[in-house]
Amino acid sequence: MPLSPPVGRQHLHTRRVTCQGFFREDGLWDIEGHITDEKSYEHSSEWRGQMKPGDFIHQMSIRLTLDHRYTIVDVEAVTDQSPYPVCGNVTPDFKKLIGLRIAGGFHREVRARLGGVHGCTHIVELLGPVATTAYQTMSSGRARAFNEAHRKRQANGTAPDRPTEPKRKPYVIDTCHAWAADGPVVKRWAPDYYSGPDAEAVRAAAAGKEVELEGG
């Protein structure tokens, strides 16, 4: 359903954010974000001179390389267009994110490392959708298939024993209305963390299905 028809208005500004997720041939994951800002009218910049409609005021990108635990193992940030000459000087500091895991508290830790004068506002803002793109990329069945195929290739055609890892609470729980811990989405897709009035029965049913699958 589209938005309702607007009143008469003049278009002034457009911000575009694009995020993409990739599985790498070395078994890691690249999550990339790109942000641009542009005006719909001609204006002047003290540094860049006359700016035409559609010229990018901001054009910045970041790539997070993650392991299968959502831990950042490498970072690359670039500033291609900015309003001031010094903006790009801070991009190397985004290496401070290495070692940080995309999980609960991620955005708080990003602000602690790169907030205020220690980072770029626009690239820091971009890390929000980049983080959710990581989850959308790495939590799918196709992603698990790629990961398993890579492990098999590493073992020259024999799948290695997969280490048993404790289940982790999906970080999206309680971050929005749909993923409320007592709601139908968590009940269906993450029953171990469901907190509705029938939580005990839901968890018992989920455990029964797991036993059935293992036995089958």
Side-chain angles (χ1 to χ4, degrees), residues 10 26 28 42 57 66 81-82 91 96 98-99 128 131 153-154 157 168 191-192 196 200-202 213 215:
Q10 294 291 324
D26 60 1
L28 299 175
E42 189 171 316
I57 303 166
L66 311 178
Q81 302 288 347
S82 60
T91 52
K96 295 176 182 177
I98 293 175
R153 288 194 298 272
Q154 283 185 316
R168 296 189 182 91
D192 287 342
E200 187 174 339
V202 168
L213 287 171

Side-chain angles (χ1 to χ4, degrees), residues 1-214:
M1 180 178 178
L3 294 172
S4 61
V7 300
R9 59 189 187 177
Q10 294 291 324
H11 177 213
L12 298 176
H13 187 88
T14 297
R15 166 166 287 193
R16 292 185 177 89
V17 173
T18 304
C19 298
Q20 295 179 294
F22 305 89
F23 182 74
R24 299 171 24 142
E25 62 182 14
D26 60 1
L28 299 175
W29 306 83
D30 279 342
I31 313 297
E32 296 182 354
H34 183 67
I35 186 170
T36 62
D37 282 304
E38 62 187 85
K39 301 296 185 186
S40 63
Y41 53 88
E42 189 171 316
H43 64 287
S44 61
S45 164
E46 183 176 350
W47 171 41
R48 295 171 57 185
Q50 202 66 14
M51 304 277 290
K52 297 178 181 178
D55 286 347
F56 291 140
I57 303 166
H58 302 110
Q59 182 176 199
M60 301 159 178
S61 303
I62 190 166
R63 175 190 295 144
L64 302 185
T65 300
L66 311 178
D67 67 14
H68 70 287
R69 298 175 185 270
Y70 293 83
T71 299
I72 299 171
V73 298
D74 198 10
V75 180
E76 181 180 356
V78 297
T79 296
D80 291 313
Q81 302 288 347
S82 60
Y84 308 107
V86 298
C87 290
N89 295 350
V90 78
T91 52
D93 289 1
F94 280 80
K95 293 284 188 182
K96 295 176 182 177
L97 297 175
I98 293 175
L100 184 60
R101 184 168 173 263
I102 297 179
F106 173 71
H107 299 298
R108 180 176 62 252
E109 187 61 29
V110 167
R111 289 192 295 271
R113 299 184 186 198
L114 295 167
V117 299
H118 302 291
C120 166
T121 299
H122 307 288
I123 300 179
V124 168
E125 288 178 356
L126 187 55
L127 287 168
V130 164
T132 55
T133 300
Y135 180 79
Q136 294 288 339
T137 299
M138 298 169 61
S139 64
S140 68
R142 177 62 64 87
R144 289 191 292 273
F146 277 132
N147 194 33
E148 183 65 26
H150 173 73
R151 292 191 180 193
K152 288 181 179 180
R153 288 194 298 272
Q154 283 185 316
N156 296 319
T158 303
D161 294 333
R162 298 176 67 91
T164 301
E165 298 181 3
K167 291 184 178 180
R168 296 189 182 91
K169 180 180 178 180
Y171 86 96
V172 293
I173 292 179
D174 284 331
T175 61
C176 71
H177 174 71
W179 277 91
D182 59 353
V185 174
V186 173
K187 182 177 180 178
R188 170 66 179 88
W189 296 109
D192 287 342
Y193 304 98
Y194 174 65
S195 64
D198 54 341
E200 187 174 339
V202 168
R203 293 175 185 173
K209 289 181 180 179
E210 288 182 2
V211 170
E212 181 179 343
L213 287 171
E214 291 173 0

